[in-house]
Amino acid sequence: MKWIYIITLLTSISVSSQAQKYVERDGEVHFYSKAPVEDIEAHSEKGQSIVDVGSNRIAFEVPIKSFQFEKDLMQEHFNENYMESDKYPKATFSGTFSGFDINASGKQNVKASGEIFIHGVREKWNAEGKMRVENGKIYLETTFFVLLETFDIEKPKVLFYNIADKIEVNLNFVYDEM
Amino acid sequence: MMKCKIQILLAVIMFISGYNINAQDDLLGELSKDDEVYPVKATFKGTRLINGHTIETRGAGNLDFVIMHRFGRLNSGIDEFFGLDQAVIRLALDYAISDDVSIGIGRSSSPKYLDGYIKYSFLKQTPDQFPFSATVISSAALDINIREQQPPVEDRMSYATGVLIARKFNSAFSLQIAPYWLHRNVVEYNEENEAFALNLATRVKITKRMAITAEYFARLNDSAFPDNTNNAFGIGWELETGGHVFQLIFTNNLGMVENTIIPGTVNDFFSGDIHFGFNISRAFNLKRNKDEKSW
């Protein structure tokens, strides 16, 4: 019966050694809210992500408090009132992707599907992006839209500025081999 | 045979658990290894709570226009329109030189004062690492009431220094404790030049944008002041609307600089000598965030 153990052990080792993982620890994430009164944008360089080229899995994470706004008070409101970042410190995505070949050259259109987690709300999520390989690094860029109401992000009625219902999010990640 | 089955079962469990480690959540788990810890923000909403300061300073380049307004006593009767006929105001500009250092200048009416301060936020509360935030404030005020025989400037100066210590216990509850030292160059014959006080302040959020606030200045050397003066006390209702903070307040005090807050409170809150008033601050950004690039 020992062989079962050995096979099991070998299988789990081979699963992890097959995994070719690439990681990005300071990825750029920014978002825009285009509204009549004032455009609001914020930027973080603390996006993290891992892609596993072996199993086509991908994971993202960005700390909500890492977003920098042009106006200090907006940043405070964003954390305190909209995102409740003490309670929900991160936004994450994890899922699988398709359409990427590590050996191909040029930009490749990829699709990802999985679960996104923002402001305590978990949602099935599909997104499209572009990936390319250069000097052993994987470049990823993607843009998607987030509706505030999907993630229970409340828009106050009495405000001296407006925010849009739909937020545009851009990611720009460069992965190194792990 | 039984043993064999158990072994197979164990092997299956091992396989499944081994597989699971490599499944979905694993990648996210690998990311969360070295999470950055961010200091606690927004312990209080405004740089002032009622009459006194809070530990808060604004982000670098922020200019706050502050309007503080106090009406007369609520119990002054219909002839005075319950205090609304009278008004004492302080107009001020506060500028944040850096994220931690602010300076301010203000002008109060009745009694007329010109005041200035510097505020330095030198400790930050950080989750699981440091339990409180601390700010030091140092201010100077010049009495500019017009008299027949105007004393020289140095005789009309007073100085205050406070060490403000605050903790945000959770997203709804913040508490501040602050020892103050007030020095007045010249005082009345029955008063002392040095005044020591302990400021206690709290904010309790009732909704995301509204809070109830309270503030108390307990004088530590009470005997140094005339018998008809009291400790300053106030309660308030705070509304934040993005860019503005409105604070509606009820206090026994008309003072808006330390020299009129700490020793100068004549009214007794609990006898109904209450002044209604408000603070409004409007923030302007004179400098763009330094982290902002060409994105």
Side-chain angles (χ1 to χ4, degrees):
Chain A
M1 270 300 136
K2 282 206 179 95
W3 56 271
I4 291 186
Y5 289 123
I6 293 161
I7 287 175
T8 311
L9 210 62
L10 282 177
T11 332
S12 39
I13 288 168
S14 63
V15 165
S16 37
S17 67
Q18 262 173 15
Q20 288 171 274
K21 286 180 187 165
Y22 288 77
V23 69
E24 158 71 298
R25 294 279 178 197
D26 45 11
E28 279 180 41
V29 183
H30 50 264
F31 67 79
Y32 302 93
S33 149
K34 299 229 180 286
V37 180
E38 196 166 23
D39 287 350
I40 294 167
E41 51 183 319
H43 177 252
S44 166
E45 284 175 359
K46 299 282 164 77
Q48 297 197 57
S49 177
I50 291 183
V51 288
D52 184 337
V53 181
S55 62
N56 282 353
R57 287 174 306 133
I58 188 160
F60 287 96
E61 162 178 316
V62 60
I64 301 302
K65 288 182 184 176
S66 69
F67 281 101
Q68 299 290 318
F69 286 68
E70 185 197 330
K71 292 182 181 175
D72 184 55
L73 281 175
M74 275 182 185
Q75 193 167 326
E76 194 174 302
H77 300 152
F78 172 75
N79 281 293
E80 280 248 311
N81 302 332
Y82 295 100
M83 300 302 288
E84 299 175 86
S85 58
D86 284 335
K87 249 192 266 175
Y88 313 110
K90 291 171 190 169
T92 65
F93 171 83
S94 83
T96 56
F97 63 97
S98 60
F100 178 65
D101 177 4
I102 187 109
N103 299 313
S105 62
K107 278 191 179 173
Q108 307 171 45
N109 290 318
V110 291
K111 283 182 179 169
S113 71
E115 273 190 341
I116 195 167
F117 180 76
I118 300 175
H119 190 233
V121 178
R122 210 172 280 282
E123 280 286 318
K124 288 254 172 285
W125 202 257
N126 292 304
E128 290 177 19
K130 287 188 162 56
M131 278 165 107
R132 74 189 155 90
V133 185
E134 207 179 287
N135 302 327
K137 292 180 182 195
I138 297 174
Y139 291 76
L140 167 73
E141 49 187 77
T142 175
T143 298
F144 57 92
F145 292 91
V146 170
L147 283 173
L148 294 188
E149 69 172 326
T150 311
F151 297 98
D152 288 344
I153 299 166
E154 210 183 300
K155 232 174 83 169
K157 288 173 195 80
V158 193
L159 259 200
F160 287 79
Y161 56 84
N162 282 314
I163 55 167
D165 296 313
K166 201 162 121 180
I167 311 291
E168 182 187 329
V169 184
N170 299 315
L171 304 183
N172 241 314
F173 282 40
V174 183
Y175 298 82
D176 291 305
E177 202 165 352
M178 238 173 143
Chain B
M1 202 54 200
M2 187 65 185
K3 201 183 166 193
C4 171
K5 270 185 186 163
I6 292 170
Q7 278 177 328
I8 292 173
L9 193 68
L10 278 175
V12 168
I13 291 169
M14 257 177 73
F15 182 81
I16 290 171
S17 53
Y19 177 76
N20 250 348
I21 290 167
N22 284 305
Q24 283 292 19
D25 291 325
D26 161 43
L27 279 185
L28 272 179
E30 282 182 49
L31 286 177
S32 300
K33 265 185 241 159
D34 40 17
D35 277 345
E36 200 170 323
V37 186
Y38 294 87
V40 171
K41 295 256 188 178
T43 305
F44 292 97
K45 199 82 237 176
T47 56
R48 282 174 182 266
L49 195 69
I50 287 173
N51 296 314
H53 281 271
T54 67
I55 55 151
E56 298 295 335
T57 54
R58 298 278 192 228
N62 194 102
L63 181 74
D64 248 8
F65 178 48
V66 186
I67 304 159
M68 300 170 84
H69 193 291
R70 306 287 180 268
F71 293 101
R73 283 184 290 118
L74 287 178
N75 62 356
S76 56
I78 186 69
D79 291 343
E80 291 293 323
F81 196 20
F82 304 101
L84 298 183
D85 284 351
Q86 297 169 35
V88 177
I89 61 169
R90 177 177 176 273
L91 298 179
L93 286 173
D94 292 357
Y95 180 71
I97 299 170
S98 75
D99 286 347
D100 298 328
V101 179
S102 295
I103 52 171
I105 185 161
R107 169 73 158 79
S108 321
S109 70
S110 175
K112 292 175 196 281
Y113 268 94
L114 189 64
D115 69 280
Y117 77 79
I118 181 158
K119 201 169 172 182
Y120 172 41
S121 151
F122 63 99
L123 283 176
K124 306 264 190 268
Q125 182 184 341
T126 312
D128 305 323
Q129 288 177 6
F130 198 75
F132 59 84
S133 304
T135 297
V136 60
I137 171 139
S138 195
S139 69
L142 173 66
D143 180 342
I144 49 172
N145 289 290
I146 297 145
R147 301 171 179 87
E148 263 177 45
Q149 281 181 317
Q150 190 75 302
V153 168
E154 62 265 31
D155 289 357
R156 291 181 277 135
M157 291 294 293
S158 62
Y159 305 91
T161 300
V163 181
L164 290 63
I165 296 161
R167 177 172 167 81
K168 189 178 188 178
F169 287 87
N170 54 48
S171 60
F173 177 59
S174 302
L175 194 66
Q176 173 176 289
I177 182 161
Y180 269 92
W181 168 47
L182 173 74
H183 172 84
R184 296 178 290 166
N185 281 355
V186 171
V187 291
E188 301 290 320
Y189 75 98
N190 56 349
E191 298 183 36
E192 284 177 20
N193 294 78
E194 313 299 330
F196 299 94
L198 199 61
N199 160 269
L200 295 168
T202 186
R203 179 177 77 135
V204 180
K205 272 174 93 170
I206 47 175
T207 71
K208 278 186 194 169
R209 291 179 176 77
M210 277 181 223
I212 301 291
T213 59
E215 181 186 82
Y216 186 63
F217 278 88
R219 286 178 303 180
L220 302 175
N221 55 340
D222 207 22
S223 60
F225 304 99
D227 290 341
N228 64 347
T229 56
N230 289 297
N231 288 343
F233 173 69
I235 53 173
W237 179 75
E238 199 172 73
L239 174 68
E240 178 252 305
T241 58
H244 293 69
V245 180
F246 291 105
Q247 295 165 322
L248 301 185
I249 61 189
F250 295 91
T251 172
N252 61 346
N253 182 287
L254 283 174
M256 289 170 279
V257 295
E258 285 80 358
N259 192 24
T260 50
I261 298 169
I262 296 168
T265 307
V266 179
N267 292 322
D268 182 358
F269 191 90
F270 300 99
S271 310
D273 302 336
I274 300 168
H275 300 277
F276 171 62
F278 57 84
N279 301 335
I280 299 174
S281 86
R282 172 64 182 154
F284 299 93
N285 261 70
L286 300 189
K287 201 161 83 184
R288 289 170 84 83
N289 195 320
K290 59 183 177 300
D291 287 329
E292 196 198 13
K293 291 175 191 160
S294 54
W295 37 273

